[in-house]
């Protein structure tokens, strides 16, 4: 292979990360299972090349990983939480060391810009830092008992195995958000990454293995299973996996939720969005422009928080339309490893075809294309995954607008009158992930944030919909699944709560004053 990746050969990047085609299948302290199964080819959307073939796990190998994880849990749960935090601290340090090659591989395998690839690794580092502090704060409450000489408190214990199913668009950060918290909570993790980006997952497992080896941590604390939806289904139906954290489409989330609920397990679902920005009459258009363009075309519109709908007050509608259509003419599309480009490719050719089909549907519904995107061909676009972005004038209730198109397709919707009308439009979709308003009117912004405002998990004022800091709980409502990951008290989902009552008297008073004399 001789592909140049930001000045480095791809082979060099893989070598820096300890991945070589000939040693795939070798166990490296920690383990993943990739023998004997079918192969998945990891193709780069950047230039269409086959980066490597990776073997898929079989159900027998899945079984082995569960047994290994169960064994590891017995040991790991007894390690004091701050000591587990120390392991996560060391992982954060290792990620700092590997930030560049890992960021490059993320960019090359998934197609996001190198800057965003580095940003994703930075998120992993940030969550490690967050988790280290948290490892000393897994606190329950002390409660007053109604009985004399009794003490009550609640405390949190680890759950066991956390199954992580992740999507292609955040190939490494979502794993770190889950594992860093799950590990400090005393859980062990089994990760099934997206089959579209297996190499970045192997790289993470290799980096983790170095830390685990240096600290004699049992291998089964971190397992990686490469496979498709079938492995995800095994996990969802498996009673030995008390928590399944699944990130991906709403279709996938509904299937996981049903299987996990049938066995009364817990699921943490991070699913699709249909995110809107409301532009009120006082919106500062200088800020709106970068927020919207980054939100709509950043990561080629393949973020769960990408801006899909702009709900614009009629008094500024024409102005915004003109500014945006002009800005779109300047978007540079090309190799995401070249910092001069604003937008890289979609993940694969199927995604490009789906984008084309969505544009056709918009037109068939009566939408007006202000900027009509297409699949790009010619020099630099040989992979067939590059597209140009679109802007369309639409109505919110159309079926295609109600649906999440995972591509750079931005809808303009006009509102008139009060901001409450815009809020009604923004809430009138099935998804509830991220939302934003641009306004300088405090009444409008407070209404937007109130219980009568945005129904999304994330609601921002004078910031776009895209991206989030790890310190806040991340996730969304309705068809987005209701899960919360990362900051705030999201750690509680990774633990089970226990209420303890201790009697230090010589009597046995019953609760609620009940007498039981004999
Ligand atoms: P996808 O649903 O096709 O696949 C996601 C993962 O689920 C993959 O690992 C896949 O193998 C697995 N999977 C698929 N069907 C399954 C099933 N029935 N049972 C178990 N596992 C199954 O999603 P994708 O195309 O990789 O990612 C894009 C989607 O993910 C978008 O909808 C995006 O909004 C969403 N997403 C959401 C968040 C969030 O935090 N809310 C973050 C990233 C991506």
């Amino acid at each position: 292979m001789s592909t140049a990746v930001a000045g480095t050969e791809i082979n060099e990047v893989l070598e820096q990360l300890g991945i070589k085609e000939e040693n795939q299948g070798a166990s490296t302290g920690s383990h993943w299972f990739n023998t004997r199964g079918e192969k998945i080819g990891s193709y780069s959307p950047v230039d269409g090349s086959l980066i490597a073939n990776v073997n898929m796990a079989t159900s027998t190998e899945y079984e082995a990983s569960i047994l290994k994880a169960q064994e590891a849990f017995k040991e790991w749960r007894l390690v004091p939480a701050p000591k587990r935090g120390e392991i996560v601290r060391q992982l954060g340090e290792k990620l700092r060391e590997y930030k560049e090659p890992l960021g490059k591989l993320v960019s090359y395998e998934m197609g996001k810009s190198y800057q965003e690839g580095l940003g994703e690794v930075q998120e992993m580092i940030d969550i490690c830092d967050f988790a280290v502090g948290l490892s000393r704060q897994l606190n329950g409450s002390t409660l007053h008992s109604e009985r004399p000489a009794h003490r009550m408190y609640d405390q949190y214990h680890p759950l066991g195995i956390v199954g992580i199913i992740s999507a292609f668009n955040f190939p490494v950060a979502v794993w770190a958000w889950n594992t860093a918290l799950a590990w400090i909570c005393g859980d062990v993790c089994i990760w099934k990454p997206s089959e579209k980006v297996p190499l970045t997952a192997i790289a993470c497992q290799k980096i983790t293995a170095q830390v685990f080896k240096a600290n004699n941590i049992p291998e089964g604390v971190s397992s990686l299973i490469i496979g498709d939806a079938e492995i995800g289904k095994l996990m969802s139906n498996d009673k030995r996996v008390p928590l399944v954290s699944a990130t991906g489409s709403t279709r996938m989330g509904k299937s996981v939720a049903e299987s996990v609920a049938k066995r009364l397990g817990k699921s943490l679902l991070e699913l699709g969005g249909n995110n809107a920005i409301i532009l009120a009459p006082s919106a500062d258009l200088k800020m709106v422009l970068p927020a919207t363009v980054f939100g709509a075309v950043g990561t080629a519109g393949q973020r769960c928080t990408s801006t899909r709908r702009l709900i614009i007050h009629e008094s500024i509608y024409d102005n915004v339309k003109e500014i945006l259509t002009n800005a779109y003419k300047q978007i540079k599309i090309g190799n995401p490893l070249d910092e001069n480009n604003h937008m890289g490719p979609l993940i694969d050719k199927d995604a490009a075809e789906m984008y084309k089909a969505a544009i056709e549907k918009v037109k068939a519904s009566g939408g007006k294309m202000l900027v009509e995107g297409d699949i790009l061909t010619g020099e630099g676009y040989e992979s067939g995954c590059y597209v140009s972005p679109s802007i369309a004038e639409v109505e919110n209730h159309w079926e295609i607008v109600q649906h999440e198109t995972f591509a750079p397709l931005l809808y303009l919707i006009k509102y008139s009158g009060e901001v409450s009308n815009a809020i009604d439009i923004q809430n009138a979709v099935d998804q509830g992930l991220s939302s934003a308003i641009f306004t300088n009117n405090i009444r409008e912004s407070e209404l937007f944030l109130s219980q009568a405002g945005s129904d999304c998990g994330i609601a921002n004022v004078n910031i776009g919909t895209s991206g989030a800091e790890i310190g806040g709980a991340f996730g969304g409502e309705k068809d987005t699944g209701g899960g919360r990951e990362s900051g705030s008290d999201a750690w509680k989902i990774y633990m089970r709560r226990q209420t303890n009552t201790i009697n230090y008297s010589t009597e046995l008073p019953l609760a609620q004053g009940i007498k039981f004399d004999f």
Side-chain angles (χ1 to χ4, degrees), residues 166 168-169 192 195 247-249 255 270-272 304 404 474:
S166 58
F168 78 83
N169 64 330
K192 192 212 90 59
E195 56 276 36
T247 302
S249 59
S255 154
E270 298 284 353
L271 313 175
C304 48
E404 178 197 44
F474 181 87

Side-chain angles (χ1 to χ4, degrees), residues 172-420:
V172 291
V174 166
W175 167 74
W177 286 11
N178 280 282
T179 38
L181 294 199
W183 283 344
I184 58 121
C185 290
D187 298 316
V188 297
C189 298
I190 301 185
W191 180 20
K192 192 212 90 59
S194 163
E195 56 276 36
K196 295 180 181 174
V197 283
L199 291 174
T200 42
I202 292 174
C204 290
Q205 185 73 350
K206 292 258 187 188
I207 293 168
T208 305
Q210 292 183 34
V211 176
F212 278 25
K213 203 169 174 191
N215 291 276
N216 284 323
I217 305 298
E219 290 179 0
V221 174
S222 174
S223 300
L224 171 63
I225 294 224
I226 305 286
D228 57 15
E230 292 313 308
I231 294 284
K233 287 180 191 164
L234 281 179
M235 228 180 224
S236 308
N237 284 300
D238 195 334
K239 248 191 149 71
R240 296 166 297 181
V241 183
L243 172 66
V244 177
S245 172
T247 302
S249 59
T250 297
R251 182 187 40 76
M252 175 281 291
K254 284 184 176 166
S255 154
V256 168
E258 197 184 328
S259 307
V260 175
K262 259 196 204 144
R263 59 175 177 86
L264 301 182
K266 292 211 261 184
S267 44
L268 192 176
L269 301 173
E270 298 284 353
L271 313 175
N274 194 349
N275 318 298
I277 303 181
I278 296 173
L279 302 184
S282 63
D284 183 337
L285 296 185
K286 273 197 321 300
M287 291 157 75
V288 165
L289 185 66
T292 308
V293 179
F294 175 67
V297 312
T299 328
Q302 299 170 110
R303 285 184 174 219
C304 48
T305 53
S306 288
T307 308
R308 313 250 172 244
R309 297 175 296 145
L310 265 194
I311 304 166
I312 311 164
H313 193 264
E314 60 182 355
S315 61
I316 54 168
Y317 187 86
D318 288 339
N319 195 9
V320 171
K321 188 163 110 175
E322 192 187 325
I323 295 173
L324 270 179
T325 42
N326 282 337
Y328 266 50
K329 286 182 196 140
Q330 280 144 56
I331 292 171
K332 291 198 192 104
I333 304 156
N335 189 329
L337 290 146
D338 176 346
E339 281 176 39
N340 294 315
N341 289 324
H342 300 112
M343 198 179 114
L346 291 174
I347 183 72
D348 53 26
K349 287 183 187 166
D350 286 350
E353 288 301 335
M354 280 195 305
Y355 173 55
K356 275 276 287 184
I359 294 171
E360 291 311 316
K361 261 199 181 161
V362 170
K363 291 199 282 190
S365 311
K368 183 172 171 204
M369 300 304 301
L370 299 174
V371 179
E372 184 167 344
D374 205 345
I375 300 175
L376 301 176
T377 51
E379 203 187 327
Y381 302 137
E382 289 84 356
S383 70
C385 305
Y386 290 86
V387 298
S388 51
S390 300
I391 306 179
E393 287 182 301
V394 298
E395 289 186 30
N396 194 62
H397 65 270
W398 294 349
E399 199 258 324
I400 183 69
V401 180
Q402 293 281 314
H403 170 87
E404 178 197 44
T405 297
F406 218 52
L409 172 53
L410 178 67
Y411 297 127
L412 305 193
I413 299 161
K414 196 185 282 184
Y415 83 94
S416 44
E418 294 300 311
V419 78
S420 56

Side-chain angles (χ1 to χ4, degrees), residues 85 128-138 184:
C128 286
D129 288 354
F130 181 87
V132 176
L134 194 62
S135 69
R136 293 179 185 269
Q137 299 172 70
L138 302 173
I184 58 121

Side-chain angles (χ1 to χ4, degrees), residues 417-496:
E418 294 300 311
V419 78
S420 56
N421 297 333
I423 294 172
D424 287 346
I425 296 172
Q426 104 104 49
N427 290 345
V429 290
D430 288 337
Q431 308 83 349
L433 180 53
S434 186
S435 60
I437 187 169
F438 277 79
T439 179
N440 282 329
N441 179 327
I442 194 168
R443 289 198 177 119
E444 288 179 335
S445 96
E446 288 296 322
L447 179 68
F448 176 74
L449 299 175
S450 76
Q451 62 275 37
S454 164
D455 64 1
C456 292
I458 296 167
N460 297 331
V461 175
N462 294 333
I463 301 173
T465 59
S466 186
E469 293 185 29
I470 57 100
F474 181 87
E477 302 300 328
K478 305 195 291 187
D479 274 5
T480 303
R484 291 296 185 277
E485 270 174 358
S486 192
S488 186
D489 66 351
W491 60 270
K492 287 184 176 164
I493 184 107
Y494 300 94
M495 304 199 83
R496 61 185 170 88

